[in-house]
Amino acid sequence: MDERERAVVQSVPTGLYIGGEWREAASGARFVVEDPATGEEIATVADASEADARAAVDAAVAMQPAWAATAPRERGEILRRAFEAILEAQDDLALLMTLEMGKPVAESRAEVAYAAEFFRWFAEEAVRIRGDFYISPDAATRVLTTRQPVGPSYLITPWNFPLAMGTRKVGPALAAGCTVILKPAEQTPLCSLALASILERAGLPGGVLNVVTTEHPGPISDVIIEHPGLRKLSFTGSTEVGSLLMRKASSGLLRLSMELGGNAPLIVFEDADLDKAVAGAVFAKMRNGGEACTSANRIFVHRSIAEEFAGRLAAALSALKVARGTEPGANVGPLIDHDALAKVSGLVDDAVARGGRVMTGGARTGERGYFYAPTVLFDVPTTARVFREEIFGPVAPVYPFDDDDEAIRLANDTTYGLVGYIFTESLKRAVRTIEALETGMVGVNQGLVSNAAAPFGGVKRSGFGREGGFEGIHEYLSVKYAALNLG
Ligand code: NAD
C-alpha cells in the first residue's frame, strides 16, 4: 500500500459498532482483510463473539421504540445528511472499496454514487408512509389502516458491492423506523464500518444501527436470528446460504427479504442494433468484473449474427486492461479470492472439455492476486456447467438460437430468475419477451437495471422481496388495521 492508501484505511474505525460505541470484540479477536490484487493484509477488524452478537440485538431492541417514534422528517434528514457525506467522501470511499474488493477505482466511484442514492431516495420516502380510511361494504365499520415499522432487522450483505448492498437495506429500514444490525461479508467489512461512522456523524442516535463484523458468519448469525427481539432478516448473497437462513428464520417466523444468486440471460434478436447490443453485453457482463448477481451469464444470439457478435464481443473484451484497481486505466480487477479463481477456471475448463471454443481469454493472468482474463466462449453445449451455474467472473458464453421461442425457452431454462436483458428494435418482440421471461427484472436495449428508484429483486431461486423503488420501504413496514364502530 502506498501512503494515501494506508491513510484511507487507517481513517476507518475497525471495532464493532454497538449501541453507539466502538468497541473490541469481547474475546479480543480480530481477523484479516486482504487486498485481492496482491493477497496482502490491509487491515484487521474485530471478530465478534456470540456475546457481542447478543449485545448488538439488545441495543437494536432497546432503541426500537424511540426510533419508531422519531419524526419521519427527522429520520429522512439524517439519511439526507449521510447521502451528502457519502458523496463528499466519494474519493476515499472508492479507494477503500477498491483496496478491499478489487474493482477498478472508476467502478468504485460509480458504486459509491449508486450507494448514496439509496439514502437520498429513502430520505424522500420516509415522509410518504401512508395508510387508508374507508367505509366497509356493509357500512357497519370504518376501516383504518396504518403502516408501522416491522422492528429490529438483521441485514446481511455480500462482498461484491461492499457499500451499495448495505445502503440498499439500511436506507429503507431506517426510513421505515426500524433499528438494525448490519453484518457485512468478511472479505469487505471496511466500507460498512466507514458507513457507520458517516451515519454517526450525520446524527443517527446510538443503537439504531449496529455493525457486527465476523469471520464466523454462521454461529454469529444463529445467535442474532434466535434472539426473541428480532423481527426481520434481509439477506443478500448466494441462494444456498439464503435457503439455509430461511430455515433458521422459520422458528422465529421472521419477516424475510431474499436477494439471491442469478444466471442472467442476454438475448440478441436478429433485428437488434448490433453496436448497442455489443456495448450492452460488455456492460452487463463486465460490470464488477462479472462478479454481480445481475451479470450476463448466458448470451443468446440469433444464429444469423451469432458468430459475428461473438467476434465483436471478443474484440471488445480483449481490449480491456486487467490490473490492480488502483492502476490508471484499469478496466478489470482481480476476482475476490482463490476459491473464486478456482471456480471460474473450473467452469471454463469444463466448457472447453465439452467442445467449447475460446475466442479470447480462457486462463488466469498476472503473477499474483486473483486475476482471470476476460473470456468469450462459443459452441458451448448447454450441458456444460457454465450454462447452469452462476459464473461470477469475466466469462461470456455465446449460444446461438434459431427462433424467438427457442431463445425464451433457453433463457428460462434455469432455476434462477433475477434479471434478463434483451436487444431488439421491435416493440412487439420486446413486450412479448418481457412478459415471457421468468425474471424479476428486464433490461431492454441496455445492460444495466440497477437504479435506486426502481424495485430490484428476483423470482424463482433468485429470491423474493424488492429493494429500491416505491416497494423497497414496504419490506420494513407492516400494515395495521383498525375496525372502527361509529354506530
Ligand atoms: P455468500 O452467500 O457466501 O455470503 C453472503 C453473506 O452471507 C456474507 O455476509 C456471508 O458472511 C454471509 N454468510 C455466509 N454463510 C453464512 C451462514 N451460514 N449464516 C449466515 N450468514 C452467512 O455470498 P457471497 O459470495 O458473499 O456473494 C455472492 C452471492 O451473492 C452471489 O450468489 C450473488 O448472486 C449474490 N448476490 C445477489 C444480489 C441480489 O441482489 N440478488 C446482489 C449481490 C450479490
Side-chain angles (χ1 to χ4, degrees), residues 31 47-48 183 186 214-221:
F31 66 95
D47 190 2
K183 193 208 75 61
E186 52 277 24
T214 174
E215 204 178 14
H216 308 284
I220 293 304
S221 297

Side-chain angles (χ1 to χ4, degrees), residues 25 38 66 70 79 100 119 121 192 197 208 211 235 238 268 290 292-293 379 405 415 428 449 463 469 486-487:
T38 60
T70 302
L79 285 173
E100 67 173 348
F119 278 10
W121 177 260
S192 294
S197 149
V208 175
V211 183
F235 174 78
S238 61
V268 182
C293 51
D379 290 334
D405 287 346
T415 55
K428 188 172 164 187
V449 292
L486 308 181

